[in-house]
mmCIF file of all heavy atoms in Angstrom:
data_model
loop_
_atom_site.group_PDB
_atom_site.id
_atom_site.type_symbol
_atom_site.label_atom_id
_atom_site.label_comp_id
_atom_site.label_asym_id
_atom_site.label_seq_id
_atom_site.Cartn_x
_atom_site.Cartn_y
_atom_site.Cartn_z
ATOM 1 N N SER A 323 -3.758 -4.675 -12.100
ATOM 2 C CA SER A 323 -3.050 -3.907 -11.079
ATOM 3 C C SER A 323 -2.790 -2.521 -11.436
ATOM 4 O O SER A 323 -2.370 -2.240 -12.626
ATOM 5 C CB SER A 323 -1.634 -4.558 -10.868
ATOM 6 O OG SER A 323 -0.864 -3.893 -9.875
ATOM 7 N N LEU A 324 -3.006 -1.623 -10.549
ATOM 8 C CA LEU A 324 -2.817 -0.200 -10.728
ATOM 9 C C LEU A 324 -1.630 0.338 -9.804
ATOM 10 O O LEU A 324 -1.394 1.503 -9.802
ATOM 11 C CB LEU A 324 -4.045 0.626 -10.413
ATOM 12 C CG LEU A 324 -5.287 0.352 -11.300
ATOM 13 C CD1 LEU A 324 -6.416 0.915 -10.721
ATOM 14 C CD2 LEU A 324 -4.964 0.889 -12.686
ATOM 15 N N SER A 325 -0.926 -0.611 -9.197
ATOM 16 C CA SER A 325 0.155 -0.217 -8.320
ATOM 17 C C SER A 325 1.218 0.576 -8.938
ATOM 18 O O SER A 325 1.764 1.604 -8.462
ATOM 19 C CB SER A 325 0.746 -1.561 -7.602
ATOM 20 O OG SER A 325 -0.200 -2.141 -6.829
ATOM 21 N N SER A 326 1.642 0.139 -10.151
ATOM 22 C CA SER A 326 2.776 0.836 -10.852
ATOM 23 C C SER A 326 2.307 2.226 -11.169
ATOM 24 O O SER A 326 3.107 3.176 -11.086
ATOM 25 C CB SER A 326 3.113 0.069 -12.120
ATOM 26 O OG SER A 326 3.606 -1.328 -11.840
ATOM 27 N N ALA A 327 1.083 2.367 -11.564
ATOM 28 C CA ALA A 327 0.594 3.810 -11.989
ATOM 29 C C ALA A 327 0.608 4.707 -10.709
ATOM 30 O O ALA A 327 0.928 5.808 -10.903
ATOM 31 C CB ALA A 327 -0.820 3.675 -12.610
ATOM 32 N N TRP A 328 0.165 4.125 -9.567
ATOM 33 C CA TRP A 328 0.204 5.016 -8.374
ATOM 34 C C TRP A 328 1.667 5.303 -7.926
ATOM 35 O O TRP A 328 1.883 6.379 -7.591
ATOM 36 C CB TRP A 328 -0.480 4.119 -7.234
ATOM 37 C CG TRP A 328 -1.970 4.339 -7.203
ATOM 38 C CD1 TRP A 328 -2.919 3.444 -7.623
ATOM 39 C CD2 TRP A 328 -2.646 5.450 -6.587
ATOM 40 N NE1 TRP A 328 -4.192 4.037 -7.414
ATOM 41 C CE2 TRP A 328 -4.065 5.188 -6.693
ATOM 42 C CE3 TRP A 328 -2.228 6.564 -5.943
ATOM 43 C CZ2 TRP A 328 -5.049 6.057 -6.319
ATOM 44 C CZ3 TRP A 328 -3.239 7.458 -5.537
ATOM 45 C CH2 TRP A 328 -4.589 7.250 -5.706
ATOM 46 N N LEU A 329 2.544 4.348 -8.128
ATOM 47 C CA LEU A 329 3.957 4.671 -7.716
ATOM 48 C C LEU A 329 4.532 5.722 -8.630
ATOM 49 O O LEU A 329 5.218 6.649 -8.112
ATOM 50 C CB LEU A 329 4.793 3.410 -7.841
ATOM 51 C CG LEU A 329 4.748 2.466 -6.680
ATOM 52 C CD1 LEU A 329 5.481 1.115 -7.038
ATOM 53 C CD2 LEU A 329 5.470 3.037 -5.449
ATOM 54 N N ALA A 330 4.211 5.697 -9.981
ATOM 55 C CA ALA A 330 4.727 6.625 -10.835
ATOM 56 C C ALA A 330 4.067 8.040 -10.555
ATOM 57 O O ALA A 330 4.831 9.079 -10.591
ATOM 58 C CB ALA A 330 4.455 6.211 -12.355
ATOM 59 N N ALA A 331 2.875 8.057 -10.224
ATOM 60 C CA ALA A 331 2.217 9.351 -9.947
ATOM 61 C C ALA A 331 2.520 9.919 -8.672
ATOM 62 O O ALA A 331 2.647 11.183 -8.588
ATOM 63 C CB ALA A 331 0.619 9.149 -9.988
ATOM 64 N N SER A 332 2.860 9.186 -7.628
ATOM 65 C CA SER A 332 3.185 9.720 -6.337
ATOM 66 C C SER A 332 4.663 9.973 -6.142
ATOM 67 O O SER A 332 5.063 10.629 -5.195
ATOM 68 C CB SER A 332 2.679 8.787 -5.308
ATOM 69 O OG SER A 332 3.329 7.456 -5.388
ATOM 70 N N GLN A 333 5.503 9.292 -7.016
ATOM 71 C CA GLN A 333 6.936 9.216 -6.835
ATOM 72 C C GLN A 333 7.371 8.809 -5.478
ATOM 73 O O GLN A 333 8.335 9.258 -4.870
ATOM 74 C CB GLN A 333 7.569 10.611 -7.165
ATOM 75 C CG GLN A 333 7.240 11.117 -8.587
ATOM 76 C CD GLN A 333 7.897 12.440 -8.957
ATOM 77 O OE1 GLN A 333 7.922 13.388 -8.089
ATOM 78 N NE2 GLN A 333 8.502 12.498 -10.074
ATOM 79 N N ALA A 334 6.573 7.816 -4.918
ATOM 80 C CA ALA A 334 7.014 7.326 -3.558
ATOM 81 C C ALA A 334 8.149 6.482 -3.605
ATOM 82 O O ALA A 334 8.404 5.797 -4.562
ATOM 83 C CB ALA A 334 5.694 6.595 -3.108
ATOM 84 N N GLN A 335 8.848 6.401 -2.475
ATOM 85 C CA GLN A 335 10.075 5.547 -2.320
ATOM 86 C C GLN A 335 9.645 4.139 -1.996
ATOM 87 O O GLN A 335 10.197 3.141 -2.350
ATOM 88 C CB GLN A 335 10.851 6.044 -1.196
ATOM 89 C CG GLN A 335 11.641 7.402 -1.506
ATOM 90 C CD GLN A 335 12.635 7.648 -0.397
ATOM 91 O OE1 GLN A 335 12.474 7.456 0.748
ATOM 92 N NE2 GLN A 335 13.755 8.277 -0.792
ATOM 93 N N ARG A 336 8.477 3.911 -1.184
ATOM 94 C CA ARG A 336 8.073 2.691 -0.843
ATOM 95 C C ARG A 336 6.550 2.582 -0.909
ATOM 96 O O ARG A 336 5.834 3.541 -0.999
ATOM 97 C CB ARG A 336 8.399 2.481 0.725
ATOM 98 C CG ARG A 336 9.843 2.587 1.052
ATOM 99 C CD ARG A 336 10.086 2.370 2.518
ATOM 100 N NE ARG A 336 9.407 3.354 3.380
ATOM 101 C CZ ARG A 336 9.543 3.482 4.658
ATOM 102 N NH1 ARG A 336 10.406 2.524 5.271
ATOM 103 N NH2 ARG A 336 8.923 4.340 5.323
ATOM 104 N N LEU A 337 5.975 1.296 -1.121
ATOM 105 C CA LEU A 337 4.646 1.021 -1.310
ATOM 106 C C LEU A 337 4.182 0.014 -0.321
ATOM 107 O O LEU A 337 4.848 -1.028 -0.156
ATOM 108 C CB LEU A 337 4.401 0.483 -2.717
ATOM 109 C CG LEU A 337 3.069 -0.187 -3.029
ATOM 110 C CD1 LEU A 337 1.897 0.860 -2.892
ATOM 111 C CD2 LEU A 337 3.049 -0.804 -4.404
ATOM 112 N N PHE A 338 3.115 0.314 0.385
ATOM 113 C CA PHE A 338 2.523 -0.627 1.340
ATOM 114 C C PHE A 338 1.032 -0.862 0.983
ATOM 115 O O PHE A 338 0.420 -0.013 0.383
ATOM 116 C CB PHE A 338 2.621 -0.118 2.778
ATOM 117 C CG PHE A 338 3.990 0.297 3.195
ATOM 118 C CD1 PHE A 338 4.249 1.657 3.376
ATOM 119 C CD2 PHE A 338 5.002 -0.612 3.283
ATOM 120 C CE1 PHE A 338 5.548 2.074 3.686
ATOM 121 C CE2 PHE A 338 6.275 -0.265 3.642
ATOM 122 C CZ PHE A 338 6.640 1.051 3.872
ATOM 123 N N HIS A 339 0.529 -2.030 1.374
ATOM 124 C CA HIS A 339 -0.894 -2.417 1.179
ATOM 125 C C HIS A 339 -1.594 -2.467 2.488
ATOM 126 O O HIS A 339 -1.123 -3.029 3.463
ATOM 127 C CB HIS A 339 -1.038 -3.626 0.347
ATOM 128 C CG HIS A 339 -0.572 -3.564 -1.040
ATOM 129 N ND1 HIS A 339 -1.366 -3.085 -2.053
ATOM 130 C CD2 HIS A 339 0.651 -3.844 -1.609
ATOM 131 C CE1 HIS A 339 -0.741 -3.099 -3.181
ATOM 132 N NE2 HIS A 339 0.488 -3.602 -2.918
ATOM 133 N N TRP A 340 -2.772 -1.855 2.423
ATOM 134 C CA TRP A 340 -3.672 -1.934 3.712
ATOM 135 C C TRP A 340 -4.948 -2.606 3.191
ATOM 136 O O TRP A 340 -5.827 -1.895 2.544
ATOM 137 C CB TRP A 340 -3.955 -0.560 4.182
ATOM 138 C CG TRP A 340 -4.723 -0.489 5.492
ATOM 139 C CD1 TRP A 340 -5.572 -1.532 6.057
ATOM 140 C CD2 TRP A 340 -4.672 0.604 6.484
ATOM 141 N NE1 TRP A 340 -6.024 -1.126 7.210
ATOM 142 C CE2 TRP A 340 -5.490 0.176 7.562
ATOM 143 C CE3 TRP A 340 -4.051 1.816 6.543
ATOM 144 C CZ2 TRP A 340 -5.842 0.943 8.665
ATOM 145 C CZ3 TRP A 340 -4.366 2.656 7.587
ATOM 146 C CH2 TRP A 340 -5.222 2.247 8.650
ATOM 147 N N ARG A 341 -5.151 -3.935 3.473
ATOM 148 C CA ARG A 341 -6.310 -4.569 2.934
ATOM 149 C C ARG A 341 -7.343 -4.521 4.035
ATOM 150 O O ARG A 341 -7.060 -4.422 5.212
ATOM 151 C CB ARG A 341 -5.841 -6.076 2.597
ATOM 152 C CG ARG A 341 -4.834 -6.249 1.558
ATOM 153 C CD ARG A 341 -4.220 -7.576 1.579
ATOM 154 N NE ARG A 341 -3.400 -7.787 2.736
ATOM 155 C CZ ARG A 341 -2.757 -8.860 3.106
ATOM 156 N NH1 ARG A 341 -2.988 -9.943 2.321
ATOM 157 N NH2 ARG A 341 -2.035 -8.963 4.232
ATOM 158 N N ALA A 342 -8.566 -4.645 3.578
ATOM 159 C CA ALA A 342 -9.746 -4.508 4.464
ATOM 160 C C ALA A 342 -9.734 -5.723 5.468
ATOM 161 O O ALA A 342 -9.430 -6.837 5.134
ATOM 162 C CB ALA A 342 -11.074 -4.589 3.591
ATOM 163 N N ASP A 343 -10.011 -5.345 6.666
ATOM 164 C CA ASP A 343 -10.125 -6.232 7.791
ATOM 165 C C ASP A 343 -8.853 -7.014 8.096
ATOM 166 O O ASP A 343 -8.839 -8.154 8.689
ATOM 167 C CB ASP A 343 -11.293 -7.291 7.498
ATOM 168 C CG ASP A 343 -12.571 -6.594 7.290
ATOM 169 O OD1 ASP A 343 -12.802 -5.579 8.037
ATOM 170 O OD2 ASP A 343 -13.310 -6.985 6.433
ATOM 171 N N HIS A 344 -7.676 -6.478 7.742
ATOM 172 C CA HIS A 344 -6.433 -7.136 7.938
ATOM 173 C C HIS A 344 -5.697 -6.351 9.114
ATOM 174 O O HIS A 344 -4.999 -5.437 8.864
ATOM 175 C CB HIS A 344 -5.480 -7.216 6.696
ATOM 176 C CG HIS A 344 -5.755 -8.392 5.835
ATOM 177 N ND1 HIS A 344 -6.965 -8.528 5.183
ATOM 178 C CD2 HIS A 344 -4.983 -9.423 5.512
ATOM 179 C CE1 HIS A 344 -6.887 -9.722 4.580
ATOM 180 N NE2 HIS A 344 -5.685 -10.277 4.665
ATOM 181 N N ILE A 345 -5.889 -6.826 10.306
ATOM 182 C CA ILE A 345 -5.271 -6.155 11.489
ATOM 183 C C ILE A 345 -3.701 -6.266 11.345
ATOM 184 O O ILE A 345 -2.979 -5.473 11.841
ATOM 185 C CB ILE A 345 -5.737 -6.762 12.775
ATOM 186 C CG1 ILE A 345 -5.148 -6.005 14.040
ATOM 187 C CG2 ILE A 345 -5.385 -8.255 12.838
ATOM 188 C CD1 ILE A 345 -5.544 -4.569 14.006
ATOM 189 N N GLN A 346 -3.264 -7.316 10.673
ATOM 190 C CA GLN A 346 -1.835 -7.435 10.507
ATOM 191 C C GLN A 346 -1.221 -6.337 9.683
ATOM 192 O O GLN A 346 -0.103 -5.881 9.888
ATOM 193 C CB GLN A 346 -1.393 -8.860 9.806
ATOM 194 C CG GLN A 346 -1.847 -10.044 10.589
ATOM 195 C CD GLN A 346 -3.244 -10.567 10.171
ATOM 196 O OE1 GLN A 346 -4.028 -9.831 9.629
ATOM 197 N NE2 GLN A 346 -3.520 -11.852 10.423
ATOM 198 N N ASP A 347 -2.001 -5.778 8.689
ATOM 199 C CA ASP A 347 -1.492 -4.722 7.877
ATOM 200 C C ASP A 347 -1.438 -3.404 8.698
ATOM 201 O O ASP A 347 -0.498 -2.646 8.605
ATOM 202 C CB ASP A 347 -2.464 -4.551 6.707
ATOM 203 C CG ASP A 347 -2.355 -5.609 5.709
ATOM 204 O OD1 ASP A 347 -1.447 -6.517 5.832
ATOM 205 O OD2 ASP A 347 -3.191 -5.676 4.769
ATOM 206 N N VAL A 348 -2.464 -3.170 9.578
ATOM 207 C CA VAL A 348 -2.374 -2.014 10.476
ATOM 208 C C VAL A 348 -1.180 -2.109 11.396
ATOM 209 O O VAL A 348 -0.572 -1.108 11.582
ATOM 210 C CB VAL A 348 -3.783 -1.997 11.207
ATOM 211 C CG1 VAL A 348 -3.766 -0.680 12.074
ATOM 212 C CG2 VAL A 348 -4.958 -2.004 10.336
ATOM 213 N N MET A 349 -0.975 -3.225 12.007
ATOM 214 C CA MET A 349 0.159 -3.431 12.862
ATOM 215 C C MET A 349 1.446 -3.164 12.180
ATOM 216 O O MET A 349 2.371 -2.629 12.686
ATOM 217 C CB MET A 349 0.157 -4.775 13.596
ATOM 218 C CG MET A 349 -1.023 -4.910 14.611
ATOM 219 S SD MET A 349 -1.114 -3.578 15.805
ATOM 220 C CE MET A 349 0.421 -3.726 16.627
#
């Protein structure tokens, strides 16, 4: 997992995932 590294680098408040071919994620 690289999620923690991305959060630290971006200083984002929230994290979301957009998985391939997951229309539920887009909605």
Side-chain angles (χ1 to χ4, degrees):
S323 175
L324 296 168
S325 299
S326 297
W328 274 100
L329 276 171
S332 64
Q333 296 184 319
Q335 288 186 329
R336 303 179 298 183
L337 166 63
F338 308 111
H339 289 278
W340 187 339
R341 295 162 294 173
D343 302 323
H344 273 66
I345 185 61
Q346 298 93 337
D347 292 351
V348 184
M349 292 306 300

